[in-house]
Amino acid sequence: MKKAIYITLIFGILISCSGDKTISEIQKYVNGIESRTDLNESVTEFNTENHNGEIAGGTLIYELTDKDNNLYRITKESSNLNDTILNYEFYYKNKKLIFAKVIKFSNNLSKFDTIVNSELYYKNGKLIEQINQKPNGMDSEYVKLLAESMAVEGLGTE
C-alpha cells in the first residue's frame, strides 16, 4: 500500500515538474525573441471613425519576422469607441502559437484601470497554463483563434 502511494506521489511530482519545465522553456524562447537584433518589424495601422467621420480609435499591428519571413511575434494594440484599450502579444514557434499576453484597460476619463491581465501558454495547440493577474481572464480559445487568424490573414507566414 505504501509503495503505491509513493509511486503516485513521484508520478505527480514528475508531471508537475514537466509542466513547469515547459513554461520556463516558453519564457526563455520569448525572452530570446525580444533580444534578437536580426528580426524585422513591420507596422500596419487602421483608424476607426465615429458616425461623424472623426477618428475615435484604431489599431496598430506590429509583426516581427526574420529574413525568410518566418513569423515570431505579432503585437496588436487597439483602442475602441467604448473607452477600452486592448493589447495582445502573440508569440509563435514553427507557425504555432506558444504564448499570448492580453492586457485590457478601461480608458474612461474618470478612471484608468486594468480590467484583464492574462498570460497564456500553449503547447501543440492546447492551453497548458493560464495566469490571470486580475479576476477577469480571457477565453483561451478566443485568444488562440485570434492569434491564428492574424497569422493566416497575410501577416507573416503566408
Coordinates of all heavy atoms in Angstrom, one line a residue, residues 82-145:
N82 N -15.7 52.3 -27.0 CA -16.3 52.2 -25.7 C -15.2 52.4 -24.6 O -15.3 51.9 -23.5 CB -16.9 50.8 -25.5 CG -15.9 49.7 -25.6 OD1 -14.7 49.9 -25.9 ND2 -16.3 48.5 -25.4
D83 N -14.2 53.2 -24.9 CA -13.2 53.6 -23.9 C -12.4 52.5 -23.4 O -12.1 52.5 -22.2 CB -13.8 54.4 -22.8 CG -14.2 55.8 -23.3 OD1 -13.6 56.4 -24.2 OD2 -15.2 56.3 -22.7
T84 N -12.1 51.5 -24.2 CA -11.2 50.4 -23.7 C -10.0 50.3 -24.7 O -10.1 50.7 -25.8 CB -11.9 49.0 -23.7 OG1 -12.4 48.7 -25.0 CG2 -13.0 49.0 -22.7
I85 N -8.9 49.9 -24.1 CA -7.7 49.7 -24.8 C -7.3 48.2 -24.7 O -7.2 47.7 -23.5 CB -6.5 50.6 -24.3 CG1 -6.9 52.1 -24.5 CG2 -5.2 50.3 -25.0 CD1 -6.0 53.1 -23.8
L86 N -7.0 47.6 -25.8 CA -6.6 46.1 -25.7 C -5.2 46.0 -26.3 O -5.0 46.5 -27.4 CB -7.6 45.3 -26.6 CG -8.9 44.9 -25.9 CD1 -9.9 44.6 -27.0 CD2 -8.7 43.8 -25.0
N87 N -4.4 45.3 -25.6 CA -3.1 45.0 -26.1 C -2.9 43.5 -26.1 O -3.1 42.8 -25.1 CB -2.0 45.6 -25.2 CG -2.0 47.1 -25.3 OD1 -2.3 47.7 -26.3 ND2 -1.6 47.8 -24.2
Y88 N -2.5 42.9 -27.3 CA -2.3 41.5 -27.4 C -0.8 41.3 -27.9 O -0.3 42.1 -28.7 CB -3.2 40.9 -28.5 CG -4.6 40.9 -28.2 CD1 -5.4 41.9 -28.7 CD2 -5.2 39.8 -27.5 CE1 -6.8 41.8 -28.5 CE2 -6.6 39.8 -27.3 CZ -7.4 40.8 -27.8 OH -8.7 40.8 -27.5
E89 N -0.2 40.3 -27.3 CA 1.1 39.9 -27.8 C 1.0 38.4 -28.1 O 0.7 37.6 -27.2 CB 2.2 40.1 -26.7 CG 2.5 41.6 -26.5 CD 3.6 41.7 -25.4 OE1 4.5 40.8 -25.2 OE2 3.6 42.8 -24.8
F90 N 1.3 38.0 -29.3 CA 1.3 36.6 -29.7 C 2.7 36.2 -30.1 O 3.3 36.8 -31.0 CB 0.3 36.4 -30.9 CG -1.1 36.9 -30.6 CD1 -1.6 37.9 -31.4 CD2 -1.9 36.3 -29.7 CE1 -2.9 38.3 -31.2 CE2 -3.2 36.7 -29.4 CZ -3.7 37.7 -30.2
Y91 N 3.2 35.1 -29.6 CA 4.5 34.6 -29.9 C 4.3 33.2 -30.6 O 3.5 32.4 -30.1 CB 5.4 34.4 -28.7 CG 5.8 35.8 -28.1 CD1 5.0 36.5 -27.3 CD2 7.0 36.3 -28.5 CE1 5.3 37.7 -26.8 CE2 7.4 37.6 -28.0 CZ 6.6 38.3 -27.2 OH 6.9 39.5 -26.7
Y92 N 5.0 33.0 -31.7 CA 4.9 31.8 -32.5 C 6.2 31.1 -32.6 O 7.3 31.7 -32.6 CB 4.5 32.2 -33.9 CG 3.2 33.0 -34.0 CD1 3.2 34.4 -33.9 CD2 2.0 32.3 -34.1 CE1 2.0 35.1 -33.9 CE2 0.8 33.1 -34.2 CZ 0.8 34.5 -34.1 OH -0.3 35.2 -34.1
K93 N 6.1 29.8 -32.6 CA 7.3 28.9 -32.9 C 6.8 27.9 -33.9 O 5.8 27.2 -33.7 CB 7.7 28.2 -31.6 CG 9.0 27.4 -31.8 CD 9.5 26.9 -30.4 CE 10.8 26.2 -30.6 NZ 11.3 25.7 -29.3
N94 N 7.5 27.9 -35.0 CA 7.2 27.0 -36.2 C 5.7 27.1 -36.6 O 5.0 26.2 -36.7 CB 7.5 25.5 -35.8 CG 8.9 25.3 -35.5 OD1 9.8 25.9 -36.1 ND2 9.2 24.4 -34.5
K95 N 5.3 28.4 -36.7 CA 4.0 28.8 -37.2 C 2.9 28.4 -36.2 O 1.7 28.5 -36.5 CB 3.7 28.2 -38.5 CG 4.6 28.6 -39.6 CD 4.2 28.1 -41.0 CE 5.2 28.5 -42.0 NZ 4.8 28.1 -43.3
K96 N 3.2 28.1 -35.0 CA 2.2 27.7 -34.0 C 2.3 28.7 -32.8 O 3.4 29.0 -32.3 CB 2.4 26.3 -33.5 CG 2.2 25.2 -34.5 CD 1.5 24.1 -33.9 CE 1.3 23.0 -34.9 NZ -0.1 22.9 -35.4
L97 N 1.1 29.1 -32.3 CA 1.1 29.9 -31.1 C 1.6 29.2 -29.9 O 1.2 28.0 -29.6 CB -0.4 30.4 -30.8 CG -0.6 31.2 -29.6 CD1 0.0 32.6 -29.8 CD2 -2.1 31.4 -29.3
I98 N 2.6 29.8 -29.2 CA 3.1 29.2 -27.9 C 2.8 30.1 -26.7 O 2.8 29.6 -25.6 CB 4.6 28.8 -28.1 CG1 5.4 30.1 -28.3 CG2 4.8 27.8 -29.1 CD1 6.9 29.8 -28.0
F99 N 2.7 31.4 -26.9 CA 2.5 32.3 -25.8 C 1.7 33.5 -26.2 O 1.8 34.0 -27.3 CB 3.8 32.8 -25.2 CG 3.7 33.7 -24.1 CD1 3.4 33.4 -22.8 CD2 4.0 35.1 -24.3 CE1 3.3 34.3 -21.8 CE2 3.9 36.0 -23.3 CZ 3.5 35.6 -22.0
A100 N 0.8 33.9 -25.3 CA 0.0 35.1 -25.6 C -0.1 35.9 -24.3 O -0.2 35.3 -23.2 CB -1.4 34.8 -26.1
K101 N -0.1 37.2 -24.4 CA -0.3 38.1 -23.3 C -1.3 39.1 -23.7 O -1.3 39.7 -24.7 CB 1.0 38.9 -22.9 CG 0.8 39.8 -21.7 CD 2.2 40.3 -21.2 CE 2.0 41.2 -20.0 NZ 1.6 40.5 -18.8
V102 N -2.4 39.2 -22.8 CA -3.5 40.1 -23.1 C -3.7 41.0 -22.0 O -3.8 40.6 -20.8 CB -4.8 39.2 -23.3 CG1 -6.0 40.1 -23.6 CG2 -4.6 38.2 -24.4
I103 N -3.7 42.3 -22.3 CA -4.0 43.4 -21.3 C -5.1 44.2 -21.8 O -5.1 44.7 -23.0 CB -2.8 44.2 -21.0 CG1 -1.6 43.3 -20.5 CG2 -3.1 45.3 -20.0 CD1 -0.3 44.1 -20.2
K104 N -6.1 44.4 -21.0 CA -7.3 45.2 -21.4 C -7.4 46.3 -20.3 O -7.5 46.0 -19.1 CB -8.6 44.4 -21.5 CG -9.8 45.2 -21.9 CD -11.0 44.3 -22.0 CE -12.2 45.0 -22.4 NZ -13.4 44.1 -22.4
F105 N -7.4 47.6 -20.8 CA -7.6 48.7 -19.9 C -8.9 49.4 -20.1 O -9.4 49.5 -21.3 CB -6.5 49.8 -20.2 CG -5.1 49.3 -20.1 CD1 -4.3 48.9 -21.2 CD2 -4.5 49.2 -18.8 CE1 -3.0 48.5 -21.0 CE2 -3.2 48.8 -18.6 CZ -2.4 48.4 -19.8
S106 N -9.4 50.0 -19.1 CA -10.5 50.9 -19.2 C -9.9 52.3 -19.3 O -9.1 52.7 -18.5 CB -11.4 50.8 -17.9 OG -12.3 51.9 -17.9
N107 N -10.3 53.0 -20.3 CA -9.7 54.3 -20.5 C -10.7 55.4 -20.3 O -10.7 56.4 -21.0 CB -9.1 54.4 -22.0 CG -8.2 55.6 -22.1 OD1 -7.6 56.1 -21.2 ND2 -8.1 56.0 -23.4
N108 N -11.6 55.2 -19.4 CA -12.6 56.2 -19.1 C -11.9 57.4 -18.5 O -11.0 57.3 -17.8 CB -13.6 55.6 -18.0 CG -14.8 56.4 -17.8 OD1 -14.7 57.6 -17.5 ND2 -15.9 55.8 -17.9
L109 N -12.4 58.6 -18.9 CA -11.8 59.8 -18.4 C -11.7 59.9 -16.9 O -10.8 60.5 -16.3 CB -12.6 61.0 -18.9 CG -12.5 61.2 -20.5 CD1 -13.4 62.4 -20.9 CD2 -11.1 61.4 -20.9
S110 N -12.7 59.3 -16.2 CA -12.7 59.4 -14.7 C -11.7 58.4 -14.1 O -11.3 58.5 -12.9 CB -14.1 59.3 -14.2 OG -14.6 58.0 -14.5
K111 N -11.4 57.3 -14.8 CA -10.5 56.3 -14.2 C -9.8 55.5 -15.3 O -10.4 55.2 -16.3 CB -11.3 55.3 -13.2 CG -12.2 54.4 -13.9 CD -12.8 53.4 -12.9 CE -13.6 52.3 -13.6 NZ -14.1 51.3 -12.7
F112 N -8.6 55.2 -15.0 CA -7.8 54.3 -15.9 C -7.5 53.1 -15.1 O -6.8 53.2 -14.1 CB -6.5 55.1 -16.3 CG -5.7 54.3 -17.3 CD1 -6.1 54.2 -18.6 CD2 -4.5 53.7 -16.9 CE1 -5.3 53.6 -19.6 CE2 -3.8 53.0 -17.9 CZ -4.2 52.9 -19.2
D113 N -8.0 51.9 -15.5 CA -7.8 50.7 -14.7 C -7.6 49.5 -15.6 O -8.1 49.5 -16.8 CB -9.1 50.5 -13.9 CG -9.0 49.4 -12.9 OD1 -7.8 49.1 -12.5 OD2 -10.0 48.8 -12.5
T114 N -6.8 48.6 -15.1 CA -6.5 47.3 -15.8 C -7.7 46.4 -15.5 O -8.0 46.1 -14.4 CB -5.2 46.7 -15.4 OG1 -4.2 47.6 -15.5 CG2 -5.0 45.4 -16.1
I115 N -8.4 45.9 -16.6 CA -9.5 45.0 -16.5 C -9.0 43.6 -16.6 O -9.5 42.7 -15.8 CB -10.6 45.3 -17.5 CG1 -11.1 46.8 -17.4 CG2 -11.7 44.4 -17.5 CD1 -11.9 47.3 -18.5
V116 N -8.2 43.3 -17.6 CA -7.7 42.0 -17.9 C -6.2 42.1 -18.0 O -5.6 43.0 -18.6 CB -8.3 41.4 -19.2 CG1 -7.6 40.1 -19.5 CG2 -9.8 41.2 -19.1
N117 N -5.5 41.1 -17.4 CA -4.0 41.0 -17.5 C -3.7 39.5 -17.4 O -3.6 38.9 -16.3 CB -3.3 41.7 -16.4 CG -1.8 41.8 -16.6 OD1 -1.3 41.1 -17.5 ND2 -1.1 42.5 -15.8
S118 N -3.7 38.8 -18.6 CA -3.5 37.4 -18.6 C -2.3 37.0 -19.5 O -2.0 37.6 -20.5 CB -4.8 36.7 -19.3 OG -5.9 37.0 -18.5
E119 N -1.7 35.9 -19.1 CA -0.6 35.2 -19.8 C -1.1 33.8 -20.1 O -1.6 33.1 -19.2 CB 0.7 35.2 -19.1 CG 1.3 36.5 -18.8 CD 2.6 36.5 -18.1 OE1 3.0 35.4 -17.6 OE2 3.3 37.5 -18.1
L120 N -1.0 33.4 -21.4 CA -1.5 32.1 -21.8 C -0.4 31.3 -22.5 O 0.3 31.9 -23.4 CB -2.7 32.2 -22.7 CG -3.9 33.0 -22.1 CD1 -3.9 34.4 -22.6 CD2 -5.2 32.3 -22.5
Y121 N -0.1 30.1 -22.0 CA 0.9 29.3 -22.6 C 0.3 28.1 -23.3 O -0.6 27.4 -22.8 CB 1.8 28.7 -21.4 CG 2.5 29.8 -20.7 CD1 1.9 30.5 -19.6 CD2 3.8 30.1 -21.0 CE1 2.6 31.5 -18.9 CE2 4.5 31.1 -20.3 CZ 3.9 31.8 -19.3 OH 4.6 32.8 -18.6
Y122 N 0.8 27.8 -24.5 CA 0.2 26.8 -25.4 C 1.3 25.8 -25.8 O 2.5 26.2 -26.0 CB -0.4 27.4 -26.7 CG -1.6 28.3 -26.4 CD1 -1.4 29.6 -26.1 CD2 -2.9 27.8 -26.5 CE1 -2.5 30.5 -25.9 CE2 -3.9 28.6 -26.2 CZ -3.7 30.0 -26.0 OH -4.8 30.8 -25.7
K123 N 0.9 24.6 -25.9 CA 1.8 23.5 -26.5 C 1.0 22.6 -27.4 O -0.1 22.2 -27.0 CB 2.4 22.7 -25.4 CG 3.4 21.7 -25.9 CD 4.1 20.9 -24.7 CE 5.1 19.9 -25.3 NZ 5.8 19.2 -24.2
N124 N 1.5 22.5 -28.6 CA 0.8 21.7 -29.6 C -0.7 22.1 -29.8 O -1.6 21.3 -29.9 CB 0.8 20.2 -29.3 CG 2.2 19.7 -29.2 OD1 3.1 20.1 -30.0 ND2 2.5 18.8 -28.3
G125 N -0.9 23.4 -29.8 CA -2.3 24.0 -30.0 C -3.2 23.9 -28.8 O -4.4 24.3 -28.9
K126 N -2.7 23.4 -27.7 CA -3.6 23.3 -26.5 C -3.0 24.2 -25.4 O -1.8 24.3 -25.2 CB -3.5 21.9 -26.0 CG -4.0 20.8 -27.0 CD -5.2 20.2 -26.7 CE -5.6 19.0 -27.6 NZ -6.5 19.4 -28.6
L127 N -4.0 24.8 -24.6 CA -3.6 25.6 -23.5 C -3.0 24.7 -22.4 O -3.6 23.7 -22.0 CB -4.8 26.3 -22.9 CG -4.6 27.2 -21.7 CD1 -3.8 28.5 -22.1 CD2 -5.9 27.6 -21.1
I128 N -1.8 25.1 -21.9 CA -1.2 24.3 -20.8 C -1.2 25.1 -19.5 O -1.1 24.5 -18.4 CB 0.2 23.8 -21.2 CG1 1.1 24.9 -21.5 CG2 0.1 22.8 -22.3 CD1 2.6 24.5 -21.7
E129 N -1.3 26.4 -19.6 CA -1.3 27.2 -18.4 C -1.9 28.6 -18.7 O -1.6 29.2 -19.8 CB 0.1 27.4 -17.8 CG 0.3 28.2 -16.6 CD -0.1 27.5 -15.3 OE1 0.1 26.2 -15.3 OE2 -0.6 28.1 -14.4
Q130 N -2.7 29.1 -17.8 CA -3.2 30.5 -17.9 C -3.0 31.1 -16.6 O -3.5 30.6 -15.6 CB -4.7 30.5 -18.4 CG -5.2 31.9 -18.5 CD -6.6 32.0 -19.2 OE1 -7.0 31.0 -19.7 NE2 -7.2 33.1 -19.1
I131 N -2.4 32.3 -16.6 CA -2.1 33.1 -15.4 C -2.9 34.4 -15.5 O -2.6 35.2 -16.4 CB -0.6 33.3 -15.2 CG1 0.1 32.0 -15.1 CG2 -0.4 34.2 -13.9 CD1 1.6 32.1 -15.2
N132 N -3.8 34.6 -14.7 CA -4.6 35.8 -14.7 C -4.2 36.7 -13.5 O -4.3 36.3 -12.3 CB -6.1 35.5 -14.6 CG -6.6 34.7 -15.7 OD1 -6.3 35.0 -16.9 ND2 -7.5 33.8 -15.5
Q133 N -3.7 37.9 -13.8 CA -3.3 38.8 -12.7 C -4.5 39.6 -12.2 O -4.4 40.2 -11.1 CB -2.3 39.8 -13.3 CG -1.0 39.2 -13.9 CD -0.2 38.4 -12.8 OE1 -0.2 38.8 -11.7 NE2 0.4 37.3 -13.3
K134 N -5.6 39.6 -12.9 CA -6.8 40.2 -12.5 C -7.9 39.1 -12.4 O -7.8 38.1 -13.1 CB -7.3 41.3 -13.5 CG -6.4 42.5 -13.5 CD -6.6 43.3 -12.2 CE -6.3 44.7 -12.3 NZ -6.6 45.5 -11.1
P135 N -9.0 39.3 -11.7 CA -10.1 38.3 -11.6 C -10.6 38.0 -13.0 O -11.0 36.8 -13.2 CB -11.1 39.0 -10.7 CG -10.4 40.0 -10.0 CD -9.3 40.5 -10.8
N136 N -10.7 39.0 -13.9 CA -11.3 38.7 -15.2 C -10.1 38.2 -16.1 O -9.1 38.8 -16.2 CB -11.8 40.0 -15.8 CG -13.0 40.5 -15.1 OD1 -13.8 39.8 -14.5 ND2 -13.1 41.8 -15.1
G137 N -10.4 37.0 -16.7 CA -9.4 36.5 -17.6 C -10.0 36.4 -19.0 O -11.1 36.8 -19.3
M138 N -9.1 36.0 -20.0 CA -9.6 35.9 -21.4 C -9.9 34.5 -21.7 O -9.3 33.6 -21.1 CB -8.5 36.4 -22.3 CG -8.2 37.9 -22.3 SD -9.7 38.9 -22.9 CE -9.7 38.4 -24.6
D139 N -10.8 34.3 -22.6 CA -11.1 32.9 -23.0 C -9.9 32.4 -23.9 O -9.6 33.1 -24.9 CB -12.4 33.0 -23.8 CG -12.8 31.6 -24.4 OD1 -12.5 30.6 -23.8 OD2 -13.3 31.6 -25.6
S140 N -9.3 31.4 -23.5 CA -8.1 30.9 -24.1 C -8.3 30.5 -25.6 O -7.5 30.6 -26.4 CB -7.5 29.8 -23.3 OG -8.3 28.6 -23.3
E141 N -9.5 29.9 -25.8 CA -9.8 29.5 -27.2 C -10.0 30.7 -28.1 O -9.5 30.7 -29.3 CB -11.1 28.6 -27.2 CG -11.3 27.9 -28.5 CD -10.2 26.9 -28.9 OE1 -9.5 26.4 -28.1 OE2 -10.1 26.7 -30.2
Y142 N -10.6 31.8 -27.6 CA -10.7 33.0 -28.4 C -9.4 33.6 -28.7 O -9.1 34.0 -29.8 CB -11.6 34.0 -27.6 CG -11.6 35.4 -28.3 CD1 -12.4 35.7 -29.4 CD2 -10.8 36.4 -27.7 CE1 -12.4 36.9 -30.0 CE2 -10.7 37.7 -28.3 CZ -11.5 37.9 -29.4 OH -11.5 39.2 -30.0
V143 N -8.5 33.6 -27.7 CA -7.1 34.2 -27.9 C -6.4 33.4 -29.0 O -5.8 33.9 -29.9 CB -6.4 34.2 -26.6 CG1 -4.9 34.6 -26.8 CG2 -7.0 35.2 -25.6
K144 N -6.5 32.0 -28.9 CA -5.8 31.2 -29.8 C -6.4 31.4 -31.2 O -5.6 31.5 -32.2 CB -6.0 29.7 -29.4 CG -5.3 28.7 -30.3 CD -5.5 27.3 -29.9 CE -6.0 26.5 -31.0 NZ -6.4 25.2 -30.7
L145 N -7.7 31.5 -31.4 CA -8.3 31.7 -32.7 C -7.9 33.1 -33.3 O -7.6 33.2 -34.5 CB -9.8 31.6 -32.7 CG -10.3 30.2 -32.4 CD1 -11.8 30.2 -32.2 CD2 -9.9 29.2 -33.5

